[in-house]
Amino acid sequence: MGASVGIHIEGLSKRYGEGDTAVDALKEVNMSVAPGEVVGLIGPSGSGKTTLLKCLGAVIEPTRGRMTLGGEVIYDNGWKISDLRVLRRDRIGFIFQAPYLIPFLDVTDNVALLPMLARRPNGEARARALELLTALDVAHRAKAQPSELSGGEQQRVSIARALANKPPVILADEPTAPLDSERALAVMRILNQMATQYQTAIIVVTHDEKIIPTFKRIYHIRDGRTVEEAGEGRALQ
Ligand SMILES: Nc1ncnc2c1ncn2[C@@H]1O[C@H](COP(=O)(O)OP(=O)(O)OP(=O)(O)O)[C@@H](O)[C@H]1O
Ligand SMILES: [Mg+2]
């Protein structure tokens, strides 16, 4: 895999639209996240945070620049991967602002679905789901339907789902916003454990003052440009 394992972004730009109404949401952004690292991405509303995660997650196409994920160039002034769907399914865990659970599957199957799609045996996928639900303190709701859960419980299930395939990259957009302080820190503890245990590279977009002190490294984004700085890196017991 060589030196470029993790997440690397070089000169990444994204323009929405054309002509007078064009918006330059990202302006030659550079960013690197090593395997095992959890970095914060912080910036005001409209600064380009979600756009950056969507480019990295191959949800939208950048305008130019270069992106490497897990040792492979995925974008270099054009996609370098033929099947972006498989890339998203197997290599990237997404945690969105809203949980987007599948309403007709119970909690366990919502989490087990991705490992099953990746052809893991059903028993193994469900055992993994239960392990994650336990770690996220929602195992007692394993048989419930998503509509029967509180907002915070749904969010924790969606985090379990993002971790289920042990992806080398996790992209999280405001993952702790609906959670109380204790659970927000529990989520950060799990993300940090995941990073260490599976050498996952994790980017967390957040405004959440409860979790900002936990990052060792932070990228600030303002008007489409990033600046890196050291964080407090407060220990999560
Ligand atoms: N699909 C789109 N078409 C046109 N402009 C867009 C589109 N999506 C986002 N933008 C613009 O790009 C800029 C960056 O938006 P983005 O959603 O990345 O911001 P953000 O940092 O995630 O903000 P927030 O904190 O409010 O979620 C904004 O000016 C926004 O209006
Ligand atoms: Mg956003």
Side-chain angles (χ1 to χ4, degrees):
M1 287 259 166
S4 56
V5 180
I7 302 170
H8 295 273
I9 302 172
E10 282 170 44
L12 197 77
S13 298
K14 172 63 183 176
R15 166 172 286 189
Y16 290 110
E18 294 171 6
D20 292 349
T21 57
V23 176
D24 287 305
L26 299 175
K27 298 166 186 166
E28 304 198 354
V29 165
N30 298 315
M31 191 169 183
S32 282
V33 187
E37 205 183 13
V38 182
V39 306
L41 178 61
I42 299 174
S45 182
S47 57
K49 305 181 296 295
T50 297
T51 300
L52 182 55
L53 287 200
K54 282 181 174 169
C55 288
L56 260 179
V59 176
I60 59 173
E61 185 165 3
T63 306
R64 62 178 184 280
R66 196 164 188 273
M67 301 192 290
T68 308
L69 280 191
E72 190 171 0
V73 176
I74 64 160
Y75 181 89
D76 192 355
N77 293 321
W79 292 116
K80 297 293 160 192
I81 298 263
S82 55
D83 196 339
L84 295 175
R85 206 173 46 101
V86 169
L87 170 81
R88 287 192 293 262
R89 185 190 73 194
D90 294 349
R91 314 240 309 264
I92 304 172
F94 291 99
I95 304 170
F96 301 102
Q97 274 164 302
Y100 300 116
L101 299 175
I102 298 173
F104 51 84
L105 294 180
D106 73 15
V107 161
T108 307
D109 283 346
N110 261 280
V111 178
L113 181 65
L114 276 177
M116 287 176 184
L117 287 174
R119 300 202 176 78
R120 308 307 308 168
N122 287 5
E124 184 191 314
R126 290 217 171 80
R128 168 80 181 145
L130 206 56
E131 177 191 326
L132 286 164
L133 292 169
T134 302
L136 285 150
D137 196 23
V138 271
H140 59 295
R141 305 299 278 137
K143 295 271 174 277
Q145 300 295 309
S147 61
E148 298 166 340
L149 303 182
S150 76
E153 286 170 343
Q154 289 182 30
Q155 186 63 348
R156 282 178 281 146
V157 173
S158 79
I159 292 168
R161 179 185 53 191
L163 307 183
N165 263 349
K166 299 178 187 149
V169 170
I170 291 175
L171 306 174
D173 200 348
E174 300 276 9
T176 60
L179 304 180
D180 59 42
S181 186
E182 196 179 320
R183 293 204 165 99
L185 291 172
V187 164
M188 290 311 294
R189 194 176 313 127
I190 287 160
L191 291 178
N192 277 279
Q193 275 167 8
M194 277 287 300
T196 306
Q197 193 174 348
Y198 301 115
Q199 290 299 290
T200 317
I202 303 182
I203 300 178
V204 180
V205 165
T206 191
H207 292 106
D208 188 346
E209 298 293 339
K210 303 188 290 289
I211 67 167
I212 289 172
T214 70
F215 296 109
K216 293 191 186 76
R217 217 153 56 83
I218 292 173
Y219 284 89
H220 289 275
I221 182 165
R222 181 172 289 273
D223 197 18
R225 295 179 204 279
T226 46
V227 178
E228 186 192 335
E229 92 175 8
E232 277 181 55
R234 193 177 294 168
L236 289 154
Q237 74 284 27

mmCIF file of all heavy atoms in Angstrom, residues 16-17 23-25 43-52 54 97 173-174 205 207 221, ligand 1:
data_model
loop_
_atom_site.group_PDB
_atom_site.id
_atom_site.type_symbol
_atom_site.label_atom_id
_atom_site.label_comp_id
_atom_site.label_asym_id
_atom_site.label_seq_id
_atom_site.Cartn_x
_atom_site.Cartn_y
_atom_site.Cartn_z
ATOM 1 N N TYR A 16 -19.767 24.519 -7.720
ATOM 2 C CA TYR A 16 -21.158 24.175 -8.036
ATOM 3 C C TYR A 16 -21.663 25.173 -9.075
ATOM 4 O O TYR A 16 -21.468 26.378 -8.927
ATOM 5 C CB TYR A 16 -22.055 24.309 -6.804
ATOM 6 C CG TYR A 16 -21.861 23.282 -5.710
ATOM 7 C CD1 TYR A 16 -21.298 23.652 -4.487
ATOM 8 C CD2 TYR A 16 -22.286 21.964 -5.879
ATOM 9 C CE1 TYR A 16 -21.158 22.730 -3.459
ATOM 10 C CE2 TYR A 16 -22.151 21.039 -4.852
ATOM 11 C CZ TYR A 16 -21.584 21.418 -3.651
ATOM 12 O OH TYR A 16 -21.453 20.515 -2.627
ATOM 13 N N GLY A 17 -22.335 24.667 -10.088
ATOM 14 C CA GLY A 17 -22.963 25.542 -11.079
ATOM 15 C C GLY A 17 -21.945 26.195 -12.000
ATOM 16 O O GLY A 17 -20.756 25.865 -11.975
ATOM 17 N N VAL A 23 -20.631 28.687 -7.503
ATOM 18 C CA VAL A 23 -20.143 28.789 -6.122
ATOM 19 C C VAL A 23 -18.874 27.952 -6.029
ATOM 20 O O VAL A 23 -18.893 26.755 -6.312
ATOM 21 C CB VAL A 23 -21.187 28.231 -5.121
ATOM 22 C CG1 VAL A 23 -20.622 28.253 -3.702
ATOM 23 C CG2 VAL A 23 -22.490 29.009 -5.198
ATOM 24 N N ASP A 24 -17.755 28.584 -5.629
ATOM 25 C CA ASP A 24 -16.516 27.836 -5.412
ATOM 26 C C ASP A 24 -16.494 27.369 -3.964
ATOM 27 O O ASP A 24 -16.033 28.075 -3.073
ATOM 28 C CB ASP A 24 -15.296 28.706 -5.748
ATOM 29 C CG ASP A 24 -15.167 28.887 -7.246
ATOM 30 O OD1 ASP A 24 -15.121 27.857 -7.947
ATOM 31 O OD2 ASP A 24 -15.150 30.039 -7.712
ATOM 32 N N ALA A 25 -17.015 26.163 -3.751
ATOM 33 C CA ALA A 25 -17.207 25.663 -2.381
ATOM 34 C C ALA A 25 -15.895 25.170 -1.777
ATOM 35 O O ALA A 25 -15.697 25.254 -0.566
ATOM 36 C CB ALA A 25 -18.257 24.559 -2.380
ATOM 37 N N GLY A 43 -15.680 24.507 10.883
ATOM 38 C CA GLY A 43 -15.793 25.755 10.138
ATOM 39 C C GLY A 43 -17.224 26.242 10.156
ATOM 40 O O GLY A 43 -18.139 25.481 10.436
ATOM 41 N N PRO A 44 -17.414 27.521 9.824
ATOM 42 C CA PRO A 44 -18.766 28.084 9.866
ATOM 43 C C PRO A 44 -19.701 27.470 8.827
ATOM 44 O O PRO A 44 -19.244 26.792 7.902
ATOM 45 C CB PRO A 44 -18.537 29.582 9.578
ATOM 46 C CG PRO A 44 -17.152 29.724 9.092
ATOM 47 C CD PRO A 44 -16.381 28.501 9.468
ATOM 48 N N SER A 45 -20.974 27.734 9.002
ATOM 49 C CA SER A 45 -21.976 27.254 8.059
ATOM 50 C C SER A 45 -21.655 27.759 6.659
ATOM 51 O O SER A 45 -21.315 28.923 6.485
ATOM 52 C CB SER A 45 -23.352 27.743 8.512
ATOM 53 O OG SER A 45 -24.325 27.246 7.639
ATOM 54 N N GLY A 46 -21.706 26.860 5.676
ATOM 55 C CA GLY A 46 -21.443 27.251 4.293
ATOM 56 C C GLY A 46 -19.975 27.284 3.923
ATOM 57 O O GLY A 46 -19.627 27.686 2.814
ATOM 58 N N SER A 47 -19.084 26.837 4.832
ATOM 59 C CA SER A 47 -17.646 26.935 4.549
ATOM 60 C C SER A 47 -17.134 25.807 3.651
ATOM 61 O O SER A 47 -16.008 25.882 3.166
ATOM 62 C CB SER A 47 -16.852 26.963 5.859
ATOM 63 O OG SER A 47 -17.127 25.820 6.632
ATOM 64 N N GLY A 48 -17.924 24.744 3.455
ATOM 65 C CA GLY A 48 -17.513 23.677 2.542
ATOM 66 C C GLY A 48 -17.300 22.320 3.191
ATOM 67 O O GLY A 48 -16.807 21.391 2.539
ATOM 68 N N LYS A 49 -17.694 22.160 4.447
ATOM 69 C CA LYS A 49 -17.427 20.910 5.177
ATOM 70 C C LYS A 49 -18.139 19.710 4.547
ATOM 71 O O LYS A 49 -17.515 18.681 4.261
ATOM 72 C CB LYS A 49 -17.867 21.055 6.655
ATOM 73 C CG LYS A 49 -17.239 22.240 7.355
ATOM 74 C CD LYS A 49 -17.675 22.341 8.799
ATOM 75 C CE LYS A 49 -19.155 22.586 9.000
ATOM 76 N NZ LYS A 49 -19.626 23.900 8.491
ATOM 77 N N THR A 50 -19.437 19.857 4.336
ATOM 78 C CA THR A 50 -20.193 18.743 3.760
ATOM 79 C C THR A 50 -19.731 18.475 2.328
ATOM 80 O O THR A 50 -19.616 17.315 1.910
ATOM 81 C CB THR A 50 -21.712 19.033 3.815
ATOM 82 O OG1 THR A 50 -22.086 19.136 5.191
ATOM 83 C CG2 THR A 50 -22.530 17.942 3.151
ATOM 84 N N THR A 51 -19.430 19.532 1.592
ATOM 85 C CA THR A 51 -18.938 19.363 0.218
ATOM 86 C C THR A 51 -17.660 18.527 0.209
ATOM 87 O O THR A 51 -17.502 17.617 -0.621
ATOM 88 C CB THR A 51 -18.667 20.747 -0.412
ATOM 89 O OG1 THR A 51 -19.891 21.489 -0.416
ATOM 90 C CG2 THR A 51 -18.143 20.621 -1.824
ATOM 91 N N LEU A 52 -16.750 18.809 1.151
ATOM 92 C CA LEU A 52 -15.491 18.052 1.215
ATOM 93 C C LEU A 52 -15.762 16.578 1.513
ATOM 94 O O LEU A 52 -15.204 15.686 0.859
ATOM 95 C CB LEU A 52 -14.577 18.676 2.274
ATOM 96 C CG LEU A 52 -13.199 18.052 2.457
ATOM 97 C CD1 LEU A 52 -12.441 18.005 1.145
ATOM 98 C CD2 LEU A 52 -12.380 18.827 3.485
ATOM 99 N N LYS A 54 -18.501 14.932 0.927
ATOM 100 C CA LYS A 54 -19.198 14.316 -0.218
ATOM 101 C C LYS A 54 -18.228 14.000 -1.355
ATOM 102 O O LYS A 54 -18.376 12.988 -2.036
ATOM 103 C CB LYS A 54 -20.305 15.236 -0.731
ATOM 104 C CG LYS A 54 -21.558 15.212 0.132
ATOM 105 C CD LYS A 54 -22.599 16.132 -0.489
ATOM 106 C CE LYS A 54 -23.928 16.049 0.229
ATOM 107 N NZ LYS A 54 -24.820 17.149 -0.231
ATOM 108 N N GLN A 97 -25.671 13.687 9.281
ATOM 109 C CA GLN A 97 -26.373 14.480 10.295
ATOM 110 C C GLN A 97 -27.683 13.807 10.684
ATOM 111 O O GLN A 97 -28.080 13.824 11.831
ATOM 112 C CB GLN A 97 -26.647 15.894 9.755
ATOM 113 C CG GLN A 97 -25.463 16.841 9.983
ATOM 114 C CD GLN A 97 -25.526 18.102 9.140
ATOM 115 O OE1 GLN A 97 -25.585 18.038 7.914
ATOM 116 N NE2 GLN A 97 -25.493 19.240 9.785
ATOM 117 N N ASP A 173 -20.424 13.466 9.521
ATOM 118 C CA ASP A 173 -20.892 14.854 9.433
ATOM 119 C C ASP A 173 -21.773 15.144 10.638
ATOM 120 O O ASP A 173 -22.900 14.665 10.716
ATOM 121 C CB ASP A 173 -21.677 15.044 8.126
ATOM 122 C CG ASP A 173 -21.781 16.509 7.725
ATOM 123 O OD1 ASP A 173 -21.461 17.382 8.552
ATOM 124 O OD2 ASP A 173 -22.187 16.773 6.579
ATOM 125 N N GLU A 174 -21.258 15.881 11.601
ATOM 126 C CA GLU A 174 -21.983 16.231 12.831
ATOM 127 C C GLU A 174 -22.559 15.003 13.534
ATOM 128 O O GLU A 174 -23.754 14.969 13.843
ATOM 129 C CB GLU A 174 -23.140 17.196 12.496
ATOM 130 C CG GLU A 174 -22.710 18.493 11.874
ATOM 131 C CD GLU A 174 -22.299 19.544 12.891
ATOM 132 O OE1 GLU A 174 -22.196 19.203 14.088
ATOM 133 O OE2 GLU A 174 -22.050 20.670 12.472
ATOM 134 N N VAL A 205 -16.695 16.044 11.006
ATOM 135 C CA VAL A 205 -17.149 17.432 10.887
ATOM 136 C C VAL A 205 -17.970 17.754 12.120
ATOM 137 O O VAL A 205 -18.860 16.981 12.487
ATOM 138 C CB VAL A 205 -18.046 17.596 9.642
ATOM 139 C CG1 VAL A 205 -18.822 18.906 9.702
ATOM 140 C CG2 VAL A 205 -17.217 17.528 8.375
ATOM 141 N N HIS A 207 -19.490 21.051 15.044
ATOM 142 C CA HIS A 207 -19.525 22.331 15.757
ATOM 143 C C HIS A 207 -19.588 22.055 17.256
ATOM 144 O O HIS A 207 -19.734 22.961 18.059
ATOM 145 C CB HIS A 207 -20.829 23.093 15.469
ATOM 146 C CG HIS A 207 -20.997 23.590 14.086
ATOM 147 N ND1 HIS A 207 -21.864 23.018 13.191
ATOM 148 C CD2 HIS A 207 -20.423 24.638 13.448
ATOM 149 C CE1 HIS A 207 -21.812 23.695 12.062
ATOM 150 N NE2 HIS A 207 -20.943 24.675 12.191
ATOM 151 N N ILE A 221 -11.841 25.082 8.310
ATOM 152 C CA ILE A 221 -12.179 25.434 6.931
ATOM 153 C C ILE A 221 -12.996 26.722 6.967
ATOM 154 O O ILE A 221 -13.869 26.903 7.810
ATOM 155 C CB ILE A 221 -12.907 24.273 6.218
ATOM 156 C CG1 ILE A 221 -13.218 24.601 4.762
ATOM 157 C CG2 ILE A 221 -14.156 23.851 6.955
ATOM 158 C CD1 ILE A 221 -13.590 23.380 3.923
HETATM 159 N N1 LIG B 1 -25.770 21.416 -4.565
HETATM 160 C C1 LIG B 1 -25.312 22.667 -4.428
HETATM 161 N N2 LIG B 1 -25.451 23.564 -5.414
HETATM 162 C C2 LIG B 1 -24.956 24.834 -5.307
HETATM 163 N N3 LIG B 1 -24.296 25.274 -4.214
HETATM 164 C C3 LIG B 1 -24.135 24.427 -3.194
HETATM 165 C C4 LIG B 1 -24.629 23.080 -3.234
HETATM 166 N N4 LIG B 1 -24.311 22.472 -2.059
HETATM 167 C C5 LIG B 1 -23.658 23.401 -1.332
HETATM 168 N N5 LIG B 1 -23.544 24.565 -2.005
HETATM 169 C C6 LIG B 1 -22.859 25.787 -1.545
HETATM 170 O O1 LIG B 1 -21.493 25.458 -1.290
HETATM 171 C C7 LIG B 1 -21.020 26.110 -0.125
HETATM 172 C C8 LIG B 1 -20.530 25.056 0.883
HETATM 173 O O2 LIG B 1 -21.654 24.289 1.326
HETATM 174 P P1 LIG B 1 -21.512 23.078 2.355
HETATM 175 O O3 LIG B 1 -22.816 22.364 2.414
HETATM 176 O O4 LIG B 1 -20.321 22.274 1.985
HETATM 177 O O5 LIG B 1 -21.237 23.872 3.718
HETATM 178 P P2 LIG B 1 -21.063 23.331 5.221
HETATM 179 O O6 LIG B 1 -19.739 23.815 5.692
HETATM 180 O O7 LIG B 1 -21.341 21.870 5.269
HETATM 181 O O8 LIG B 1 -22.210 24.140 5.999
HETATM 182 P P3 LIG B 1 -23.142 23.694 7.255
HETATM 183 O O9 LIG B 1 -22.306 23.885 8.488
HETATM 184 O O10 LIG B 1 -24.256 24.705 7.190
HETATM 185 O O11 LIG B 1 -23.605 22.290 7.047
HETATM 186 C C9 LIG B 1 -22.182 26.963 0.382
HETATM 187 O O12 LIG B 1 -22.011 28.258 -0.131
HETATM 188 C C10 LIG B 1 -23.395 26.309 -0.227
HETATM 189 O O13 LIG B 1 -24.442 27.227 -0.417
#
